């Protein structure tokens, strides 16, 4: 029912612009896989190559182990959910959902029954005879999902399907999508530029930049062990220090900066020039006395109360601003603005990474 | 209106309204009313006008039932009044022209709207427009030359060995149909082009992604979406064809007669403007009725067309 997808050295050129650059990914059957990256990095292009609307310039795409080069979209076992959903406005909801069955010559009574069944699956009973224009954004979303599921695809391709929805609905639909994926067992390939969405929903995430895959890993790994500065910055906030690596040994190294010498993990790819030290604000502690290591004296410049956590900004010597986020356990003491304090971090929670994207 | 006054002031707005009203009144309403009124009056010598014989009657309209000819339809022979026969042939061939325009224009419109490189579309549209820079009379004459028995079209087809003896194109209604299709096809092309352009390409792709064949995509997605465009194109082409005088006069043969030619004969040859007016209104009303009927059958609303 569900199929894996293999992209082998896939390249896509538009004229002399390279939109997708040697992408290698293996997506497992039944996996929820997200491509995450900024606008214009080639996510949609990858999806269009998998669904058959765009042919790769180079490389092989396999669906369920089969090379699909030369197959038209209507011959591939994929179903694409478009960014704007592309529901058929002149058909009722049930006709929309049953369109794929109509194409396959299923008779009307069976189509109607299947449409009703799918409407129950996506939790939208009673909308069968409405037109898409009579539905809300979230309801249309569900119709689009049902329409794609109706053809029993081995792979569902979703192009930022939630981007048009408001925050509340988006969060609700995330859970819903995830649940539908688990229920149906279909391989989902999900595209988004929202890192929260990718991390929350996916089994694995492929982070992209400028047509290249930067890192493929599960969400925790992506967040906790980004391979480079691009990934680290794209999936979260960082305190970034600029300096040089000294005494590397056993995966750890010293890092000499204007604010002193720190100790941190040395990323695998962090060699030569252009490496920086990245620390997440929530891994940055604040104290009134200096910590044993990796400690920076700061003057508190801003405190913002975010509810579940408190974000504290401190100015270090030379004007560098550091951010520490502390959990609001109800008793957290917050230093006053203008007071002196120390910000510090655990060497195991700080990483020396190549600053730029990894090129091949 | 409020908006216009705010933007252009009372003076300019008043002038605009006045000009439009003048245009409507002098060029549309008054001539039509005059024509309508005279269509009910008998054709009399000048001295008898306004005299006891000058009374309103539907006699002019009833003249279409005069003078029957034998007509064969589907192998059966009927006696049909000659003008009624002309009227139905005009309608029938106008429908043919409309269908031919649709069949030719739809693929071109689809190509322009969805397949052609958007950068080259303005050039292509310009090329389509170029023939319109030449007057309609000249274009009809050009076709008369092209279609002549020893004309360029036959020599071309002969030299390509597609035919072995010249085809007589200007016979019966054939050349009229060719000329009308050529003259009015753009009135079909542009509304359909506009309609298809407004179709989200994702819908076509979504249909294809769900497994639809090319034909089904057109049948279920593109055609229903472009129905208003097709309808307005069809109404225009039909009305213009049925009302065309020039093309049937220039490209007609001895056996072709268009209803407008009959009107013209009443007007110019018989000098009976009253009957000519009656026939003109007959054409207008019956064509409108026919168009309304077809629109009702295809469930097209007037507001769809106006879009
Ligand atoms: N048909 C095309 N012709 C030329 N360039 C294209 C074409 N399609 C995409 N591109 C270019 O390829 C790059 C990648 O486009 P793509 O649509 O894949 O980006 P994306 O990651 O989906 O971005 P977004 O998040 O904004 O949707 C962009 O710079 C875009 O301009
Ligand atoms: Mg995109």
């Amino acid at each position: 029912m569900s199929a894996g997808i293999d992209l082998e050295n896939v390249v896509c050129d538009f004229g002399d612009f390279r939109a997708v650059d040697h992408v290698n990914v293996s997506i497992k059957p039944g996996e929820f896989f997200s491509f995450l990256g900024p606008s214009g990095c080639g996510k949609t292009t990858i999806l269009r190559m998998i669904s058959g609307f765009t042919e790769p310039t180079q490389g092989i795409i396999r669906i369920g182990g089969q090379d699909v080069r030369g197959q038209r979209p209507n011959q591939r076992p994929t179903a694409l959910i478009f960014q704007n959903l592309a529901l058929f406005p002149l058909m009722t909801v049930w006709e929309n959902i049953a369109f794929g069955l109509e194409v396959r010559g299923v008779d009307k009574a069976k189509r109607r029954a299947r449409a009703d069944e799918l409407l129950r699956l996506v939790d939208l009973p009673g909308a069968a005879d409405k037109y898409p224009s009579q539905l809300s954004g979230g309801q249309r979303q569900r119709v689009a999902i049902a329409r794609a599921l109706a053809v029993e695809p081995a792979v569902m391709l979703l192009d930022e399907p939630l981007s048009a929805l408001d925050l509340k609905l988006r969060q609700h639909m995330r859970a819903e999508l995830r649940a539908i994926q688990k229920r149906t067992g279909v391989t989902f390939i999900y595209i988004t530029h929202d890192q929260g969405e990718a991390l929350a929903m996916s089994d694995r995430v492929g982070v992209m930049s400028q047509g290249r895959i930067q890192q493929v890993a599960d969400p925790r790994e992506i967040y906790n062990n980004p391979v480079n500065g691009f990934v680290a910055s794209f999936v979260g906030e960082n305190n970034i220090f600029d300096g040089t690596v000294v005494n590397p040994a056993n995966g750890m190294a010293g890092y000499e900066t204007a604010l002193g010498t720190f100790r941190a993990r040395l990323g695998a790819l962090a060699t030569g020039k252009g490496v920086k030290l990245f620390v997440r604000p929530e891994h940055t502690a604040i104290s009134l006395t200096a910590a044993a290591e990796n400690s920076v004296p700061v003057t508190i410049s801003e405190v913002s109360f975010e509810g579940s956590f408190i974000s504290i900004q401190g100015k270090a010597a030379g004007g560098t601003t550091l951010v520490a986020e502390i959990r609001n356990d109800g008793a957290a003491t917050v230093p006053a603005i203008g007071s002196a304090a120390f910000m510090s971090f655990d060497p195991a929670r700080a990483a020396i990474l190549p600053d730029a994207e990894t090129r091949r | 209106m409020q908006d216009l006054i705010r933007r252009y002031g009372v003076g300019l707005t008043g002038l605009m309204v006045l000009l439009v009203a003048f245009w409507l009144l002098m060029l549309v309403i008054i001539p039509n009313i005059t024509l309508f009124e005279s269509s009910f009056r008998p054709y009399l010598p000048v001295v008898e006008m306004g005299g006891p014989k000058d009374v309103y009657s539907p006699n002019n309209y009833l003249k279409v039932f005069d003078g029957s000819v034998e007509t064969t339809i589907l192998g059966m022979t009927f006696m049909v009044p000659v003008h009624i026969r002309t009227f139905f042939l005009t309608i029938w061939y106008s429908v043919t022209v409309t269908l031919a325009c649709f069949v030719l224009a739809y693929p071109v419109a689809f190509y322009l709207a969805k397949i052609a490189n958007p950068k080259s579309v303005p050039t292509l549209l310009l090329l389509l427009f170029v023939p319109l820079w030449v007057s309609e009379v000249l274009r009809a004459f050009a076709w008369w030359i092209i279609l002549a028995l020893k004309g360029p079209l036959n020599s071309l087809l002969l030299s390509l060995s597609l035919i072995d003896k010249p085809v007589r194109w200007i016979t019966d209604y054939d050349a009229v149909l060719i000329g009308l299709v050529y003259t009015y096809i753009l009135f079909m092309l542009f509304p359909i082009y506009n309609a298809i352009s407004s179709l989200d390409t994702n819908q076509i792709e979504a249909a294809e992604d769900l497994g639809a064949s090319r034909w089904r995509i057109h049948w279920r997605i593109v055609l229903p979406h472009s129905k208003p465009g097709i309808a307005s194109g069809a109404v225009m082409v039909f009305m213009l064809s049925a009302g065309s005088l020039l093309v049937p006069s220039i490209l007609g043969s001895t056996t072709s007669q268009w209803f407008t030619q009959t009107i013209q004969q009443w007007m110019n040859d018989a000098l009976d403007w009253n009957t000519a007016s009656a026939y003109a209104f007959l054409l207008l009303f019956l064509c409108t009725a026919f168009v309304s009927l077809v629109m009702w059958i295809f469930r097209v609303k007037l507001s769809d067309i106006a879009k």
Side-chain angles (χ1 to χ4, degrees), chain A residues 182-195:
Chain A
K182 286 279 162 273
R183 231 175 299 159
T184 56
V186 175
T187 312
F188 269 45
I189 301 185
Y190 191 90
I191 277 192
T192 180
H193 59 246
D194 179 334
Q195 41 98 9

Side-chain angles (χ1 to χ4, degrees), chain A residues 40 43-45 83 159-160 191:
Chain A
K43 306 180 298 284
T44 299
T45 309
Q83 200 155 353
D159 191 352
E160 310 204 21
I191 277 192

Side-chain angles (χ1 to χ4, degrees), chain B residues 33-42 56-61 273-279 281:
Chain B
I33 289 177
T34 317
L35 220 58
F36 191 66
E37 195 256 354
S38 62
S39 74
F40 288 98
R41 288 163 56 175
Y56 290 126
S57 78
N59 289 345
N60 290 335
Y61 289 86
W273 285 35
N274 304 72
T275 308
S277 310
Y279 274 45
F281 272 99

Side-chain angles (χ1 to χ4, degrees), chain A residues 81-272:
Chain A
I81 294 185
F82 289 78
Q83 200 155 353
N84 66 356
L85 305 182
L87 295 179
F88 307 129
L90 301 177
M91 296 184 202
T92 58
V93 163
W94 86 262
E95 285 174 321
N96 262 282
I97 294 173
F99 184 77
L101 302 174
E102 178 191 324
V103 163
R104 286 161 178 75
V106 176
D107 70 57
K108 190 171 172 180
K110 283 214 185 87
R111 294 202 308 256
R112 177 73 205 227
R114 179 80 180 124
D116 285 336
E117 196 179 311
L118 283 160
L119 278 171
R120 278 194 299 277
L121 176 80
V122 297
D123 199 16
L124 201 65
D129 293 308
K130 290 188 178 163
Y131 283 89
S133 57
Q134 295 168 304
L135 302 181
S136 71
Q139 291 174 324
R140 271 181 230 165
Q141 197 74 58
R142 289 159 207 250
V143 175
I145 293 164
R147 186 178 71 175
L149 285 172
V151 300
E152 308 197 341
V155 180
M156 281 270 266
L157 307 166
L158 302 97
D159 191 352
E160 310 204 21
L162 306 186
S163 56
L165 305 182
D166 62 50
L167 183 67
K168 194 98 187 185
L169 194 54
R170 201 153 67 219
Q171 281 168 344
H172 179 69
M173 286 306 295
R174 275 185 200 174
E176 198 95 333
L177 270 178
R178 184 69 204 182
I180 290 171
Q181 194 259 339
K182 286 279 162 273
R183 231 175 299 159
T184 56
V186 175
T187 312
F188 269 45
I189 301 185
Y190 191 90
I191 277 192
T192 180
H193 59 246
D194 179 334
Q195 41 98 9
E197 209 165 279
L199 297 181
M201 296 168 80
S202 321
D203 294 321
R204 281 193 306 155
V205 179
V207 183
M208 291 187 66
S209 166
Q210 297 184 23
R212 290 179 213 93
I213 295 272
Q214 302 296 325
Q215 186 172 9
V216 177
D218 64 64
R220 274 165 170 241
E221 181 73 9
I222 294 273
Y223 191 85
N224 292 335
N225 290 317
V227 293
N228 60 34
F230 174 80
V231 177
S233 308
F234 198 76
V235 298
E237 302 302 318
N238 295 281
N239 291 312
I240 304 173
F241 299 92
D242 206 350
T244 47
V245 178
V246 290
N247 308 325
N250 302 331
M252 299 295 285
Y255 195 74
E256 229 172 59
T257 73
L259 295 169
T261 302
F262 302 124
R263 229 160 55 78
R265 283 183 300 125
L266 185 62
L269 300 167
T271 48

Side-chain angles (χ1 to χ4, degrees), chain B residues 30 49 52 67 77 80 113 120 129 158-159 162 187 194 208 218 221 227 236 243 245 252 293 302:
Chain B
I30 291 187
M49 277 190 194
T77 306
V80 178
S120 54
F129 264 120
L158 280 171
S159 68
L162 290 172
F187 290 92
N194 276 335
E208 190 180 357
H218 281 281
I221 311 294
K227 199 164 92 171
M236 277 197 278
L245 176 60
L293 178 73
L302 205 59

